Amino acid sequence: MRIAFRFKPVPFVATLVLVILGIALGRWQDRRAEEKMAVAAELAGGSTAAPLVLGAQSIEPQHAQFRRVTATGTFVPDWPVYLDNRPHDGRAGFYVLMPFRIDGTAMHVLVARGWLPRDVADRQRIAPYPTPQGTITITGVAKPGAGHVMELGDAPPVQAGAIVQNADAAKVAAASGLQLQPFVLEQTSADGSERVLLRDWPKPDLGVDKHRGYAFQWYALALTALLFFIISGLNIGKSSGTKTDQ
């Protein structure tokens, strides 16, 4: 049996492009998975570390991100903001955001107080919920924001009592004139409102397995292209031989 390989320039170039593309995209997905694993480690570390006590000084987001934080002060009840399209267990509702003034300072932190169901008859109506009066201490987790949802058309302005799709500390600070820490405190502590404002916060889906699956698919594409080029180029034939007379 004789095995020969027929080299064809055009299939070779196409195969080379697919192999390079598959490996490059596979490595990119691997890096994305590593980044998500680093975030998961940051979350785990932040949940076990001592709480960060908020005061008058602004804290850089990267120093507070995913850490447990605590603050003593008072809520600013006349500046709530409601984030729409935040379902919970299949029910439509809002996230309630409210500034919290840190005691003895002009600094505030924007607190995600919890989830509130939407009125099915009138989506503009906000059901009543209690807000603690006076000085209290709250704890929670510092997050870059309260989540982002897709919105169509022009976004309504952020203002006191507004129902909006998205808002963050920077937008609320600009609209209210309040000095705010550059992150959101996702409240986990009880303050007497937890029977109305649910704090069953969703855990972040980091998608590590998704990125690993995508990486496997890209590597498989590169390998398949290479094998196809090799197999399609093989020319297998019978070798000819001569008989000798006895």
Side-chain angles (χ1 to χ4, degrees):
M1 178 179 294
R2 180 174 56 85
I3 301 177
F5 184 81
R6 294 174 296 176
F7 179 82
K8 299 178 180 180
V10 174
F12 172 74
V13 172
T15 300
L16 186 62
V17 170
L18 287 175
V19 169
I20 293 175
L21 180 66
I23 292 175
L25 291 175
R27 288 174 61 83
W28 177 69
Q29 290 292 345
D30 280 338
R31 289 194 296 271
R32 293 288 291 145
E34 291 171 1
E35 291 171 3
K36 297 296 180 67
M37 290 175 66
V39 172
E42 197 173 0
L43 280 168
S47 64
T48 57
L52 180 67
V53 180
L54 301 183
Q57 297 299 317
S58 179
I59 300 174
E60 293 296 325
Q62 63 268 25
H63 296 152
Q65 183 169 257
F66 305 126
R67 284 193 60 178
R68 286 194 303 145
V69 295
T70 182
T72 299
T74 55
F75 279 110
V76 183
D78 57 348
W79 241 101
V81 176
Y82 305 99
L83 299 187
D84 201 359
N85 288 333
R86 266 50 176 199
H88 181 274
D89 287 341
R91 300 169 62 197
F94 310 95
Y95 284 166
V96 179
L97 303 183
M98 186 176 290
F100 183 86
R101 180 167 183 167
I102 300 171
D103 198 29
T105 76
M107 179 64 73
H108 299 70
V109 61
L110 187 61
V111 179
R113 295 193 56 200
W115 179 86
L116 187 67
R118 189 165 68 191
D119 190 314
V120 294
D122 182 3
R123 68 177 304 276
Q124 296 297 321
R125 179 181 178 274
I126 303 298
Y129 56 89
T131 297
Q133 302 296 312
T135 302
I136 64 168
T137 298
I138 60 173
T139 58
V141 177
K143 295 289 184 69
H148 186 88
V149 298
M150 185 177 66
E151 54 185 320
L152 302 175
D154 295 331
V158 174
Q159 56 189 9
I163 299 175
V164 296
Q165 302 293 322
N166 299 291
D168 56 22
K171 289 182 179 180
V172 174
S176 66
L178 299 175
Q179 186 180 4
L180 285 168
Q181 295 283 358
F183 50 81
V184 172
L185 190 160
E186 194 175 82
Q187 185 177 350
T188 56
S189 59
D191 63 8
S193 64
E194 51 277 356
R195 292 187 178 181
V196 180
L197 296 173
L198 302 183
R199 300 192 182 103
D200 182 20
W201 300 110
K203 295 181 179 179
D205 181 12
L206 300 177
V208 174
D209 292 336
K210 178 185 68 175
H211 289 296
R212 286 175 173 166
Y214 288 157
F216 174 81
Q217 292 175 11
W218 286 117
Y219 290 139
L221 172 66
L223 180 60
T224 301
L226 180 61
L227 291 176
F228 181 79
F229 173 73
I230 293 173
I231 294 172
S232 63
L234 292 177
N235 184 13
I236 303 175
K238 294 182 179 179
S239 59
S240 58
T242 55
K243 288 186 179 180
T244 16
D245 293 331
Q246 297 294 327

